[in-house]
């Protein structure tokens, strides 16, 4: 316990020291060339935002992510040092609705250039959307387990999906929506740092081109499949399912660490038989216990479908594009792509 208690104090001291060096660095460079030639200090909330900031900002930005690799983003708690670093940023890029701690800190930070990626595209509620009528029914049964359950196990069924009026925040898993967000981020960086606007524009166009290619690969790769249904322990793939005409069956109302109920196992078994689903997908940042239990009890295979909330050594690729390509291969295999 003592060790944990020490952390905030050292963090605060670190933040103060950092603040001082940052101040002196700024003042010297301002004095030297009058233009504040330092890089734009960007804070990103978690990996999908960090990827956009780094790719679009290029050499003109110094990006700090609040969520370290391997940390489940929904569970993030911020240290005083991190809260301080948000306030000292020139530009903050986050996605409202994924990380309550970040939403609160950003609101209180007073940073002028704060961008909520959720405002750069259209969010939908996948509680009753095209991610499958069975899924909608299952949301009804399992989705409303009280606010506390959602708070406590927010990584389970997929955060806001089943909640009243709550929109699904997983927009980055649809390359088309992610490209819309990229365009918005590019425009906002041009405004925040007009001196380098031409580079931000060029970098945005290059990234959007890559995302368009990724979208085409998904569209053609998932066009002809033996089944359209996939089962996942993390209901993060509603937008992806909708974009490519698939049905996501989430193991709703339980966190990835929890054992599914016998009734739910039976339900998944029935769905799998009816829809010829072959695979239960689990993610890289949570335990695979639920998926393995389900697979054992239903005779299904297991595989990884990465919701790309962080990149670690276990990720099937070094960045967003590579991991999305691995996800496509995993989906093609599970769905029996022809």
């Amino acid at each position: 316990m003592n060790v944990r208690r020490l952390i905030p104090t050292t963090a605060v001291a670190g933040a103060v020291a950092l603040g001082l060096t940052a101040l002196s660095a700024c003042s010297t460079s301002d004095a030297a060339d009058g233009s504040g030639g330092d890089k734009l200090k960007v804070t990103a909330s978690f990996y999908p935002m960090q990827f956009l900031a780094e790719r679009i900002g290029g050499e003109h930005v110094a990006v700090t992510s609040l969520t370290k690799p391997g940390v489940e983003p929904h569970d993030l708690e911020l240290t005083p040092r991190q809260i301080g670093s948000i306030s000292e940023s020139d530009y903050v890029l986050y996605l409202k609705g994924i990380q309550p701690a970040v939403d609160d800190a950003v609101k209180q930070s007073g940073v002028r250039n704060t961008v909520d990626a959720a405002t750069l595209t259209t969010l939908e509620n996948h509680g009753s959307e095209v991610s499958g009528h069975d899924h909608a029914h299952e949301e009804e049964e399992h989705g409303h387990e009280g606010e506390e359950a959602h708070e406590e196990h927010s990584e389970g069924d997929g955060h806001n999906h089943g909640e009243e009026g709550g929109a699904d925040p997983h927009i980055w898993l649809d390359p088309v929506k992610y490209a819309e967000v990229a365009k918005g981020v590019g425009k906002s960086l041009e405004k925040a740092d007009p001196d380098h606007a031409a580079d931000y524009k060029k970098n945005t166009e290059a990234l959007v081109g890559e995302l368009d290619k990724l979208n085409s690969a998904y569209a053609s790769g998932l066009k002809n499949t033996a089944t359209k249904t996939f089962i996942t322990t993390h209901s993060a793939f509603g937008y992806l399912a909708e974009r490519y005409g698939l049905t996501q069956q989430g193991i709703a109302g339980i966190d990835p660490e929890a054992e599914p109920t016998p009734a739910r196992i039976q339900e998944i078994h029935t769905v799998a038989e009816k829809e010829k689903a072959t695979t239960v997908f689990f993610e890289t940042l949570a335990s695979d216990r639920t998926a393995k239990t389900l697979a054992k009890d239903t005779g299904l295979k297991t595989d990884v479908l990465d919701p790309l909330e962080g990149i670690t050594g276990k990720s099937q690729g070094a960045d967003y594009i590579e991991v999305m390509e691995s996800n496509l291969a995993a989906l093609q295999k599970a769905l029996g792509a022809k």
Side-chain angles (χ1 to χ4, degrees):
M1 277 313 285
N2 290 347
V3 178
R4 288 182 71 180
R5 235 178 258 140
L6 284 172
I7 292 168
T9 340
T10 47
V12 172
V16 171
L18 271 181
L20 293 173
T21 45
L23 278 174
S24 53
C26 283
S27 48
T28 47
S29 72
D30 286 355
D33 62 11
S35 66
D38 284 346
K39 293 186 179 195
L40 196 73
K41 278 190 291 195
V42 175
T43 298
S45 55
F46 72 135
Y47 179 70
M49 302 298 105
Q50 177 191 347
F51 178 75
L52 291 180
E54 287 174 347
R55 289 295 300 271
I56 295 168
E59 62 185 14
H60 305 302
V61 298
V63 182
T64 308
S65 177
L66 295 171
T67 311
K68 296 290 160 262
V71 171
E72 222 293 331
H74 310 286
D75 300 339
L76 183 71
E77 288 177 22
L78 297 173
T79 64
R81 182 179 187 161
Q82 285 177 306
I83 292 167
S85 80
I86 296 174
S87 306
E88 287 164 19
S89 309
D90 299 314
Y91 179 100
V92 177
L93 179 59
Y94 73 116
L95 178 57
K96 205 169 178 184
I98 282 269
Q99 300 169 290
V102 173
D103 296 352
D104 292 346
V106 169
K107 203 160 62 187
Q108 288 159 25
S109 70
V111 174
R112 199 163 52 112
N113 296 302
T114 59
V115 177
D116 169 12
T119 62
L120 303 175
T121 184
T122 319
L123 266 64
E124 289 154 25
N125 189 329
H126 288 124
S128 55
E129 284 289 332
V130 191
S131 45
H133 57 277
D134 286 318
H135 186 59
H137 166 66
E138 145 221 323
E139 287 279 1
E140 238 168 76
E141 280 189 24
H142 303 270
H144 301 289
E145 302 199 341
E147 293 300 310
E148 305 81 48
H150 272 293
E151 291 299 309
E152 210 178 319
H153 299 310
S154 56
E155 75 274 36
D157 165 41
H159 344 300
N160 302 336
H161 302 210
E163 290 174 37
E164 303 305 330
D168 176 358
H170 296 89
I171 44 179
W172 67 92
L173 290 163
D174 170 355
V176 177
K177 283 196 175 297
Y178 199 46
E180 284 173 12
V181 174
K183 287 176 191 166
V185 169
K187 286 202 180 79
S188 66
L189 277 170
E190 287 175 43
K191 250 189 223 143
D193 181 17
D195 290 355
H196 303 113
D199 285 351
Y200 296 141
K201 203 184 213 73
K202 194 179 75 195
N203 295 346
T204 302
E205 280 164 12
L207 178 57
V208 167
E210 280 184 66
L211 293 171
D212 287 349
K213 257 171 57 186
L214 188 64
N215 173 44
S216 302
Y218 264 80
S220 58
L222 298 170
K223 204 172 180 174
N224 299 310
T225 54
T227 177
K228 294 288 178 198
T229 299
F230 63 99
I231 298 160
T232 171
T233 55
H234 186 165
S235 303
F237 301 92
Y239 290 106
L240 186 149
E242 194 170 331
R243 176 71 57 199
Y244 305 111
L246 307 176
T247 298
Q248 165 181 256
Q249 269 289 346
I251 304 164
I254 42 176
D255 101 56
E257 308 291 325
E259 298 287 341
T261 63
R264 187 66 189 127
I265 289 171
Q266 188 48 54
E267 234 174 289
I268 291 287
H269 191 53
T270 309
V271 167
E273 277 187 343
K274 193 174 116 206
E275 305 295 341
K276 300 185 174 55
T278 63
T279 307
V280 179
F281 285 115
F282 62 95
E283 56 176 304
T284 40
L285 293 182
S287 156
D288 60 359
R289 203 172 64 208
T290 302
K292 289 211 163 121
T293 304
L294 248 176
K296 193 170 77 170
D297 294 347
T298 53
L300 296 168
K301 297 194 216 53
T302 59
D303 202 357
V304 170
L305 197 60
D306 194 329
L308 261 156
E309 293 178 340
I311 294 274
T312 68
K314 289 183 186 163
S315 300
Q316 309 284 307
D319 67 8
Y320 172 87
I321 302 282
E322 286 184 10
V323 176
M324 281 296 277
E325 287 168 348
S326 299
N327 278 348
L328 173 57
L331 278 167
Q332 286 177 299
K333 193 171 145 195
L335 299 171
K338 296 179 179 71

